[in-house]
Amino acid sequence: MIQTVKADGRAEYEFFERMRSRSRETKNNVAEAVEKIIEAVRVRGDEAVREYTMKFDRRCPETFEVGREIINDALTAADPDFVSALLNAQENIAAFHQRQKTQSFLDPRKNGIILGQRVRGLHRVGLYVPGGTAAYPSSVLMNAIPAKIAGVGELVMVTPPGPDGRPNPDILVAAAICGVDRVFLMGGAQAVAALAHGTESVPRCDKIVGPGNIFVATAKRLLYGTVDIDMIAGPSEILIIADDSANPKYLAADLMGQAEHDRMASAVLLTTSGRLVEQTKAELARQIGRLERREIIEASLADFGAIVLCESETQMVALANELAPEHLEVQVADPMRLLGALDNAGSVFLGEYTPEPLGDYYAGPNHVLPTGGTARFFSPLGVDSFVKRSAFLYYPREAMAEAAPDILTIAAREGLSAHANAVKVRLEDE
Amino acid sequence: MIQTVKADGRAEYEFFERMRSRSRETKNNVAEAVEKIIEAVRVRGDEAVREYTMKFDRRCPETFEVGREIINDALTAADPDFVSALLNAQENIAAFHQRQKTQSFLDPRKNGIILGQRVRGLHRVGLYVPGGTAAYPSSVLMNAIPAKIAGVGELVMVTPPGPDGRPNPDILVAAAICGVDRVFLMGGAQAVAALAHGTESVPRCDKIVGPGNIFVATAKRLLYGTVDIDMIAGPSEILIIADDSANPKYLAADLMGQAEHDRMASAVLLTTSGRLVEQTKAELARQIGRLERREIIEASLADFGAIVLCESETQMVALANELAPEHLEVQVADPMRLLGALDNAGSVFLGEYTPEPLGDYYAGPNHVLPTGGTARFFSPLGVDSFVKRSAFLYYPREAMAEAAPDILTIAAREGLSAHANAVKVRLEDE
């Protein structure tokens, strides 16, 4: 069910190319439909949201906002083990993201010059949380916690009504724990449009984050520039580097843990051990019997899974850097030693007791990561994602006069005489 | 030539709406043409670049790369005052951007857990520098210096050949001063495509920055995701807040300094002083005679310039936050006092002796700033723009076992049994 590739400088790249092609979607008809929805919500506000909610979700709540008491009830009614697990996760995630905070700075110079940079949380952020089987409380934590630490003024969540017309209670529990300020029961492109443009009930946001289906992702893409967005995440993926010391049981389990996300997910093992190739395949066959999402796992592994037999650790590292995976597991002896060489990865899981779900749910680093090779240049979601920087400068007259000759020289070379004039008029007086 | 608006809660917003409409470009035929160019360069490399260069620039250099001796010659042949001005600017810009650096961190926890975040410069960055009248050496400084401070491995510049078939020498001087690693003589969408995909001569880059015309901007937009890009900058703009203490001579000069950029530039003065409205208009009329780009200034001020008479300082601040301008000058008594209230602006120029060209060229903060109201959520170009972050985590067995119950609880709630399995197989042994 999973293919085996022998790295020969060609076969592995052909496979990589196929993996990358996963994310190249060209659905123009979706874009057209979504554009229409966005325009309707921009012009007609709640009325349009209501129409599309009836159309797509079959029912529409009387008021979109979910009352505070409903959120509190979800929290008190929840399984205490679940609440406790989320609280522990929150503590770890918050501790890690606290380290990411950057401070404003003031930089006084000679001559009374003052320069500086302000770093502030965005005024208002919208968080999209899918419904149905993709309603993941862990996603709420991973998006909401860094936003709160960044100092976002108001965090607004939208989530579609479930089959019973109500919000998913697990999502409300996570929202309550993270201090989400307001929750609205709406989903799809119409909810994204409401966050971007504001309606009678939904306040306009400055940034929209969170995962969603093709309509949600398209709406975010089209509204980029009207608001900021997090990223357009492609299908999820894992790359595992393993030497002869690795445990095939763990390798198989980790490949399947990634593959269960969806049919487009990709799970790849690079190993220098011929023994592991065979043993991992045997473990895949053995363990799959106990897994609920067997069909998805088999489809994903068949299409986008591979075990690649490599010649050396150096080759494994080079291939990992080339692929730039979202998740990278390093199951080799003394894994920390490779950290400096692994240039491109969203999150790196070191050692055989650090399986990917630790990072997905719990350890602290974010699980919203760059996919499809974009870890070459994109970064995980973090506190930075929820701040805006702006610079400020103050020059006293004497300092300006001292800088003037240089500025006039550059302005002259650039042919901008009105730039020069703005300095000259200030030198004329006195 | 400039319109006067009395802020009445409506007139100023109508003007703002018109200003904002500047940036909504929908040029589908440009996108089609550019898509064709990108695909040709991706498939045929240098050959396609050569064809498009002949077509658009009328001539094509034999080799695209500009030799190191040509760059050095430009530096030694340059006016020493110009070189000295650029060196002084570089020193200021570097000092400011040094403050923006963020460090990797390591976060060892109890139980032997190790978490951390690596922050590294991107491997290779491409810098687009326009030719012709928009060939600004200051832009080279503002893009190259933060990239170098971020630790970018290789900085590659592209710039179109001038009418004589050669690169603009001022651009080469700036490139030499900033330590640009390689320079290629090519421009337009074909140069952007070469940076994104790599060709026989041009190495593939991870991010493309720098200003350009509609073809360059469209190519960057279309290639976003294949590479990272800086931003799609809209037309430039300034907003000035002035109270009765301000000098109308300076106000007029600063409005025109912005307006000279191009016909789509916007320059707006908010003031509580009726006297200043009249005196600034008089100064505009008086000073424009001495400016070279008079026609552009008049067109820009007529279409997108305004003097808005406000009722209070509070109203000025509220309007500035609403407009979220690229450049914000604060010419009031004790300007520093307003800094905390001014939430949305790319760069804030405090006091009457801090005209915008100080920031454009010299003081230190970046001049690549969010435009068109996007300062609500976007930030200036900076060292952050040239790094990638990635997380890493290491759990020893005992720590993993301790976290396991919580992880299994969350995985169960999310219905991901293969996630749970990845933890379970590790608990089975021993």
Side-chain angles (χ1 to χ4, degrees):
Chain A
M1 78 203 219
I2 194 167
Q3 62 185 304
T4 313
V5 179
K6 198 167 171 325
D8 62 3
R10 184 188 175 108
E12 69 273 28
Y13 285 102
E14 272 169 20
F15 172 71
F16 284 4
E17 195 44 51
R18 191 149 68 82
M19 258 195 68
R20 285 213 190 88
S21 68
R22 288 181 304 153
S23 44
R24 289 196 200 123
E25 304 180 43
T26 49
K27 312 222 165 163
N28 285 322
N29 52 340
V30 171
E32 262 173 55
V34 170
E35 243 170 292
K36 219 177 117 186
I37 295 172
I38 292 172
E39 188 57 17
V41 173
R42 189 180 74 78
V43 175
R44 295 192 292 120
D46 279 346
E47 187 186 81
V49 175
R50 198 167 288 282
E51 279 173 24
Y52 287 111
T53 303
M54 285 303 295
K55 184 170 167 188
F56 298 128
D57 298 328
R58 301 291 161 80
R59 70 182 74 216
C60 184
E62 281 205 27
T63 50
F64 289 117
E65 184 154 12
V66 179
R68 181 52 54 185
E69 67 291 353
I70 295 176
I71 299 169
N72 291 344
D73 288 351
L75 186 59
T76 50
D79 170 6
D81 285 345
F82 176 56
V83 175
S84 157
L86 287 186
L87 284 170
N88 290 337
Q90 189 221 20
E91 193 182 331
N92 290 338
I93 298 164
F96 183 83
H97 286 82
Q98 282 288 356
R99 296 286 308 255
Q100 294 183 329
K101 280 188 84 163
T102 47
Q103 304 294 333
S104 299
F105 65 78
L106 189 81
D107 191 8
R109 300 273 175 86
K110 61 180 165 105
N111 298 342
I113 294 169
I114 296 173
L115 306 178
Q117 176 173 274
R118 291 184 69 196
V119 181
R120 278 154 302 163
L122 296 174
H123 180 55
R124 188 184 291 117
V125 168
L127 165 54
Y128 189 93
V129 181
T133 54
Y136 295 141
S138 60
S139 276
V140 176
L141 268 59
M142 291 295 182
N143 282 279
I145 294 170
K148 280 288 173 177
I149 290 174
V152 165
E154 190 174 42
L155 187 56
V156 173
M157 178 190 288
V158 292
T159 189
D164 58 355
R166 301 211 289 209
N168 179 314
D170 288 358
I171 295 302
L172 296 185
V173 170
I177 284 176
C178 299
V180 169
D181 295 291
R182 299 177 74 180
V183 178
F184 294 89
L185 199 55
M186 53 175 67
Q190 62 274 21
V192 178
L195 292 171
H197 287 297
T199 68
E200 297 87 334
S201 14
V202 182
R204 184 182 77 157
C205 295
D206 300 303
K207 180 161 187 162
I208 300 174
V209 299
N213 63 20
I214 181 75
F215 291 93
V216 170
T218 303
K220 282 167 66 181
R221 185 167 59 76
L222 292 173
L223 284 161
Y224 180 60
T226 301
V227 290
D228 190 18
I229 63 171
D230 47 353
M231 56 180 92
I232 305 294
S236 195
E237 71 219 4
I238 196 168
L239 184 74
I240 309 178
I241 290 180
D243 67 11
D244 201 55
S245 73
N247 187 329
K249 211 157 97 176
Y250 306 169
L251 299 176
D254 294 358
L255 291 171
M256 293 193 291
Q258 192 62 35
E260 80 170 328
H261 272 293
D262 64 83
R263 285 158 189 276
M264 299 291 280
S266 170
V268 177
L269 168 63
L270 307 182
T271 181
T272 45
S273 162
R275 172 188 69 85
L276 272 184
V277 173
E278 293 315 311
Q279 291 180 348
T280 304
K281 284 168 80 172
E283 279 293 330
L284 287 170
R286 191 180 70 82
Q287 291 178 38
I288 196 156
R290 48 164 118 156
L291 303 178
E292 287 161 22
R293 298 163 75 116
R294 178 173 184 158
E295 221 178 306
I296 294 174
I297 294 171
E298 283 178 338
S300 154
L301 288 182
D303 289 343
F304 303 112
I307 301 180
V308 183
L309 183 61
C310 295
E311 278 163 19
S312 63
E313 192 175 85
T314 311
Q315 189 186 36
M316 292 197 290
V317 168
L319 290 174
N321 284 336
E322 169 68 25
L323 198 61
E326 182 189 16
H327 305 99
L328 175 59
E329 283 189 359
V330 185
Q331 301 201 26
V332 301
D334 190 9
M336 203 68 87
R337 147 188 78 85
L338 291 188
L339 192 58
L342 294 165
D343 274 335
N344 301 330
S347 202
V348 182
F349 300 78
L350 297 161
E352 61 181 347
Y353 292 110
T354 318
E356 194 256 18
L358 262 178
D360 258 7
Y361 291 143
Y362 204 72
N366 212 285
H367 79 195
V368 183
L369 301 168
T371 57
T374 60
R376 255 174 63 214
F377 41 81
F378 288 151
S379 299
L381 192 76
V383 173
D384 282 3
S385 314
F386 296 101
V387 303
K388 57 186 167 190
R389 291 178 285 111
S390 63
F392 58 91
L393 46 158
Y394 167 79
Y395 267 56
R397 186 178 190 289
E398 284 312 308
M400 188 274 304
E402 205 180 306
D406 283 344
I407 293 172
L408 296 176
T409 300
I410 302 175
R413 297 298 298 188
E414 296 196 349
L416 295 173
S417 70
H419 278 56
N421 180 59
V423 172
K424 281 183 194 156
V425 293
R426 286 166 163 91
L427 298 171
E428 284 167 9
D429 296 338
E430 279 142 276
Chain B
M1 77 203 218
I2 193 167
Q3 61 185 304
T4 313
V5 178
K6 201 168 169 324
D8 62 3
R10 186 189 175 106
E12 70 273 28
Y13 285 102
E14 273 169 19
F15 173 72
F16 284 3
E17 196 42 52
R18 191 148 67 82
M19 259 195 69
R20 286 213 191 89
S21 68
R22 290 180 303 154
S23 43
R24 289 195 200 126
E25 303 181 44
T26 49
K27 311 221 165 164
N28 285 323
N29 51 340
V30 171
E32 263 174 54
V34 169
E35 243 170 294
K36 218 177 116 188
I37 295 171
I38 291 172
E39 188 55 16
V41 173
R42 188 180 74 79
V43 175
R44 295 192 293 118
D46 279 347
E47 188 186 80
V49 175
R50 200 166 288 281
E51 278 173 24
Y52 287 111
T53 303
M54 284 304 295
K55 184 171 169 188
F56 298 127
D57 298 329
R58 301 291 162 77
R59 71 183 73 217
C60 183
E62 282 206 26
T63 49
F64 288 116
E65 184 153 13
V66 179
R68 182 52 53 185
E69 67 290 354
I70 294 176
I71 299 169
N72 291 343
D73 288 353
L75 186 59
T76 51
D79 171 8
D81 285 346
F82 174 57
V83 174
S84 157
L86 287 186
L87 284 171
N88 289 337
Q90 190 222 19
E91 193 181 332
N92 291 338
I93 297 164
F96 182 82
H97 285 83
Q98 281 288 356
R99 296 286 308 255
Q100 293 183 329
K101 280 187 84 164
T102 47
Q103 306 294 333
S104 298
F105 64 78
L106 189 80
D107 192 8
R109 300 273 175 88
K110 60 179 167 112
N111 299 343
I113 293 169
I114 296 173
L115 306 178
Q117 178 172 271
R118 292 184 68 197
V119 182
R120 277 153 305 163
L122 296 173
H123 180 56
R124 191 183 288 118
V125 168
L127 165 56
Y128 190 94
V129 181
T133 54
Y136 296 140
S138 60
S139 276
V140 176
L141 268 59
M142 291 296 182
N143 282 279
I145 294 169
K148 280 287 176 181
I149 291 174
V152 165
E154 190 173 43
L155 187 57
V156 174
M157 177 190 287
V158 293
T159 188
D164 58 355
R166 300 211 290 209
N168 178 315
D170 289 359
I171 294 303
L172 295 185
V173 171
I177 284 175
C178 299
V180 169
D181 296 290
R182 301 177 72 180
V183 178
F184 294 88
L185 200 54
M186 53 176 68
Q190 62 274 20
V192 178
L195 292 171
H197 286 298
T199 68
E200 297 86 333
S201 12
V202 182
R204 182 183 77 158
C205 294
D206 301 303
K207 179 161 186 162
I208 301 175
V209 299
N213 63 22
I214 179 77
F215 291 93
V216 170
T218 303
K220 282 168 64 182
R221 186 167 57 76
L222 292 173
L223 285 161
Y224 179 62
T226 301
V227 290
D228 190 19
I229 62 170
D230 48 353
M231 57 180 92
I232 306 294
S236 196
E237 70 219 7
I238 196 169
L239 184 75
I240 310 178
I241 289 180
D243 67 11
D244 202 56
S245 73
N247 187 328
K249 213 156 94 176
Y250 305 169
L251 298 175
D254 294 358
L255 291 170
M256 293 193 292
Q258 191 62 34
E260 82 170 328
H261 272 293
D262 64 81
R263 285 159 190 274
M264 299 291 280
S266 169
V268 177
L269 169 63
L270 307 183
T271 181
T272 44
S273 161
R275 171 188 69 86
L276 271 185
V277 174
E278 293 315 312
Q279 289 179 350
T280 303
K281 285 168 81 170
E283 278 294 329
L284 286 170
R286 191 180 70 82
Q287 291 178 38
I288 196 156
R290 47 164 119 157
L291 303 179
E292 287 161 22
R293 298 164 75 115
R294 177 174 184 156
E295 222 176 304
I296 294 173
I297 294 171
E298 283 176 339
S300 155
L301 288 183
D303 288 341
F304 303 112
I307 301 180
V308 183
L309 183 61
C310 294
E311 278 163 20
S312 64
E313 193 174 83
T314 310
Q315 189 184 36
M316 293 197 290
V317 168
L319 289 175
N321 284 337
E322 169 68 24
L323 198 61
E326 182 188 16
H327 304 99
L328 175 60
E329 284 188 359
V330 184
Q331 301 201 28
V332 302
D334 190 9
M336 202 70 83
R337 147 188 78 85
L338 290 188
L339 192 57
L342 294 165
D343 275 335
N344 301 329
S347 203
V348 182
F349 300 78
L350 297 160
E352 62 180 347
Y353 292 110
T354 316
E356 193 258 14
L358 262 178
D360 258 8
Y361 291 144
Y362 203 73
N366 212 286
H367 78 194
V368 182
L369 301 169
T371 57
T374 61
R376 254 173 64 214
F377 41 80
F378 288 152
S379 298
L381 193 76
V383 173
D384 281 2
S385 316
F386 296 101
V387 303
K388 57 185 166 189
R389 291 179 284 112
S390 63
F392 58 92
L393 47 158
Y394 168 80
Y395 266 58
R397 187 179 190 290
E398 284 313 307
M400 188 275 302
E402 203 180 308
D406 283 345
I407 295 172
L408 295 176
T409 300
I410 302 175
R413 296 300 297 186
E414 295 196 350
L416 296 174
S417 69
H419 278 55
N421 180 58
V423 172
K424 282 182 195 158
V425 291
R426 287 166 162 91
L427 298 172
E428 285 165 9
D429 296 338
E430 280 142 275

